[in-house]
Every structure is written in C-alpha cells, then in structure tokens.
Amino acid sequence: MASATRREDDGPDGVEFISESDGTVTARDLETGLARGGETRAEALTQLAEVLTLKAGGGEPIEDPDVFIDEIGVDSGIDDSELTEFMR
C-alpha cells in the first residue's frame, strides 16, 4: 500500500511524494495532478519537473521524427510493405 507525505507549508501548489510498495517514490504535482516516479525523491522530482516543463510548452520540437527515431535506435520491426496504405 502506498503512503503519501506532504510538508505542512505546501499549499495547493505543492508536490506530494508517495512511497510505493516496491520501494520507488512517486512525485505528484498537486495543481496539475501529473506524476512521475523514480528510485529516490530527487529522481522522481527531476522526472516530474521534466513533465511539467513539457506540459508548459518547453523542450525542443522534433523537426524530423524519422531522424529522431533513427538517432535513438528504435526499430518497429515492421516492414513498411506489410502496412496497409493508410498506415504508411
């Protein structure tokens, strides 16, 4: 069972840390309800900050998704010839 802790000075614009049963920690933004997890509170908070930045329109846009996919080495394992026309 997860347990949550909040500091007394946190208002509605704070972060809630939830200790998960598997030992990980979830950080949840009270204003947006967005949450991210990590092995430590610091890692969970870092992940949450990244999500909040992206939600606010931050980050760098991907100009060419195909180049990005190639850079990170994602292979769908699907031959394009196997796809129906609308999926190509």
Side-chain angles (χ1 to χ4, degrees), residues 60-83:
E60 297 179 23
I62 299 172
E63 300 298 327
D64 185 351
D66 291 332
V67 171
F68 177 74
I69 289 171
D70 291 342
E71 285 177 6
I72 62 172
V74 174
D75 180 12
S76 68
I78 299 172
D79 182 1
D80 286 349
S81 64
E82 297 173 7
L83 299 175

Side-chain angles (χ1 to χ4, degrees), residues 1-3 18-26:
M1 178 178 205
S3 64
I18 303 164
S19 298
E20 304 292 350
S21 60
D22 65 357
T24 61
V25 178
T26 298

